[in-house]
Amino acid sequence: MADPQAAPPEDKPAKSEAFAWLDKWISPESLGVAADSALDWVHRLYPFTGRPGVEVEWKRDRCWWVDLSARMSEMSYLCAGGSLLNHTRKPFHLLDVRLVSSRVGADLCYRSILSSHAPPNRDVEVPPQGALDLSLEMGLRGAPPAGTTDFWVAFSLRGEGKFHVPIHLVLRPLKAILSDIELPQEPGFQISDPMEKNATSVLQFELVELRSRGPAQLGSLSAPQENGADGLVWEPSQAAGCAQRQVSSPNVEALLRLFSRLPSEEEQTRLRTALCERLQGQRGYGAVAYLILLALFRMGALSEGLSAAQSGLSGDSLALFGIRRLLVLLLKWEWHSFSDSLLDDVERFVCRLGDPFRTTERIAAIRTLRLSAPEEPPRATA
């Protein structure tokens, strides 16, 4: 008798369309996209949960972010500028800024409230029925996702009595902010003094350089390279020959040539004064304040320039961003040129106007290095 034919193997029942649809929509990738979208909408509604009476009017040209990469760490640096309006009949005391969420998380490593009326991170008072111009600075650990352009952030301003002003804000990349900078309304033909005309022409050309180069470089400035790093490391450089390696700029060299051609010390003082006068927010040169300070450093007047910037640019986060980056480079590559009193002036400046780049740590390292160095023998006197 012939063996019966083996029965064909039974096919497993295919998943129904309903289950296939469910598998598609509960995948980790889909859930992640849905969660991000829901969180974004929650924070878009976040401002409407606040109490009336205090609001902020943001200025789009002062709201920006930039990705900072150093040798060992990354930080996203956010700045937002605007006017804080108090519609109540009582003074409003701004005490703190609290980060709620952002595109890279809520790990806040630095914050500062900048105002021309008070030191950073201090009690800022907005009078009844009044307004106050301010800037907020925040540092977030980590770099934003690749391809990010705009940067949303949700935070709240804390006042007295647990009063919070919730904020949702979209920041533009710093490159877009720099490309929108316009030259100050100070045409050369209206300046009768040839010395001042030439100096302002150099500053205006630096603004053009800053716009074209973007945030990766401070306009026409260039710094020495060390092992592929960008110079923004914490410690002062002890590389061989570092005393001869400097932060350079052709536009600073142009100002120095102008300075050297002036016939008298009085004329040179007048040039330094003209440069310090441009360290005022209303003059329109805040974005290139770093160039002015580098020129003054070469002229032996950095302390004078820092004092002028402290009084004239204390609420300008873009100007302070460039100044702080310059100070980092100078303290790394040219720390030998800083006297003890000049180190004190730099430390005083960053302590009063915020220190997101840990400049005080660099200054402490320089003082320690000087203590460790052997003392020079006393020079013989005639």
Side-chain angles (χ1 to χ4, degrees), residues 47-345:
F48 299 104
T49 63
R51 294 167 51 187
V54 178
E55 63 173 330
V56 181
E57 290 184 352
W58 298 110
K59 299 178 181 178
R60 191 167 182 264
D61 61 336
R62 293 176 54 195
C63 298
W64 51 273
W65 72 273
V66 66
D67 178 22
L68 297 178
S69 298
R71 178 181 291 177
M72 300 298 293
S73 62
E74 290 183 331
M75 183 174 75
S76 298
Y77 187 72
L78 289 65
C79 289
S83 298
L84 182 60
L85 310 176
N86 181 10
H87 301 299
T88 69
R89 296 186 177 182
K90 295 182 178 181
F92 175 74
H93 293 270
L94 177 59
L95 304 178
D96 197 8
V97 54
R98 182 178 67 92
L99 184 68
V100 176
S101 186
S102 75
R103 187 168 290 179
V104 297
D107 189 7
L108 187 65
C109 60
Y110 175 80
R111 69 183 186 279
S112 180
I113 302 172
L114 298 173
S115 168
S116 57
H117 300 283
N121 298 325
R122 302 292 175 87
D123 182 353
V124 178
E125 179 177 319
V126 188
Q129 306 291 322
L132 182 68
D133 191 63
L134 55 82
S135 295
L136 304 177
E137 300 178 311
M138 288 173 281
L140 299 174
R141 291 188 179 91
T148 297
T149 54
D150 292 339
F151 198 120
W152 64 259
V153 59
F155 57 91
S156 65
L157 304 178
R158 183 173 67 88
E160 291 180 321
K162 298 183 179 180
F163 179 74
H164 288 264
V165 182
I167 304 292
H168 173 269
L169 190 62
V170 177
L171 308 176
R172 292 193 297 161
L174 178 57
K175 184 176 181 179
I177 297 294
L178 294 178
S179 64
D180 291 343
I181 293 178
E182 297 182 358
L183 295 182
Q185 297 300 313
E186 193 176 23
F189 72 88
Q190 293 183 352
I191 303 175
S192 58
D193 183 357
M195 178 269 292
E196 195 167 353
K197 179 191 299 185
N198 288 327
T200 56
S201 297
V202 174
L203 298 182
Q204 292 181 14
F205 182 62
E206 180 68 19
L207 280 169
V208 176
E209 293 273 58
L210 182 63
R211 285 188 311 202
S212 62
R213 295 171 185 259
Q217 189 171 342
L218 276 177
S220 64
L221 265 64
S222 60
Q225 299 294 312
E226 183 179 52
N227 299 328
D230 60 1
L232 294 178
V233 293
W234 301 137
E235 72 278 358
S237 176
Q238 300 183 68
C242 68
Q244 286 74 41
R245 302 169 72 178
Q246 295 184 332
V247 181
S248 61
S249 162
N251 291 338
V252 168
E253 293 302 319
L255 289 173
L256 294 178
R257 283 193 295 272
L258 174 62
F259 181 75
S260 65
R261 292 171 184 170
L262 295 176
S264 65
E265 185 176 344
E266 181 182 354
E267 289 292 301
Q268 293 180 343
T269 300
R270 212 157 54 80
L271 176 57
R272 288 194 294 263
T273 301
L275 292 175
C276 287
E277 288 174 350
R278 267 71 184 176
L279 293 172
Q280 304 292 321
Q282 68 273 15
R283 299 302 294 266
Y285 295 97
V288 294
Y290 62 87
L291 189 90
I292 298 175
L293 289 176
L294 179 56
L296 291 172
F297 176 67
R298 298 280 183 255
M299 298 174 188
L302 179 59
S303 295
E304 182 181 347
L306 290 176
S307 178
Q310 181 177 319
S311 61
L313 299 171
S314 59
D316 189 336
S317 58
L318 182 58
L320 293 178
F321 179 70
I323 294 172
R324 290 157 172 166
R325 291 179 68 187
L326 170 68
L327 293 176
V328 167
L329 292 174
L330 290 178
L331 290 173
K332 174 178 174 57
W333 294 107
E334 302 188 42
W335 59 276
H336 297 87
S337 301
F338 282 73
S339 65
D340 291 340
S341 62
L342 186 54
L343 285 178
D344 290 343
D345 291 338

Side-chain angles (χ1 to χ4, degrees), residues 18-47:
F19 282 107
W21 177 87
L22 185 61
D23 286 344
K24 175 183 177 182
W25 286 101
I26 65 173
S27 66
E29 294 80 7
S30 300
L31 289 177
V33 171
D36 289 343
S37 178
L39 188 62
D40 191 18
W41 276 107
V42 167
H43 292 105
R44 288 181 187 277
L45 297 174
Y46 184 62

Side-chain angles (χ1 to χ4, degrees), residues 323-376:
I323 294 172
R324 290 157 172 166
R325 291 179 68 187
L326 170 68
L327 293 176
V328 167
L329 292 174
L330 290 178
L331 290 173
K332 174 178 174 57
W333 294 107
E334 302 188 42
W335 59 276
H336 297 87
S337 301
F338 282 73
S339 65
D340 291 340
S341 62
L342 186 54
L343 285 178
D344 290 343
D345 291 338
V346 172
E347 189 172 24
R348 185 180 300 109
F349 177 85
V350 296
C351 287
R352 290 180 177 176
L353 295 182
D355 188 18
F357 302 151
R358 301 181 181 178
T359 307
T360 55
E361 295 182 13
R362 295 172 170 83
I363 293 174
I366 291 170
R367 289 175 176 148
T368 303
L369 281 174
R370 288 180 173 176
L371 288 174
S372 305
E375 294 186 8
E376 296 182 1

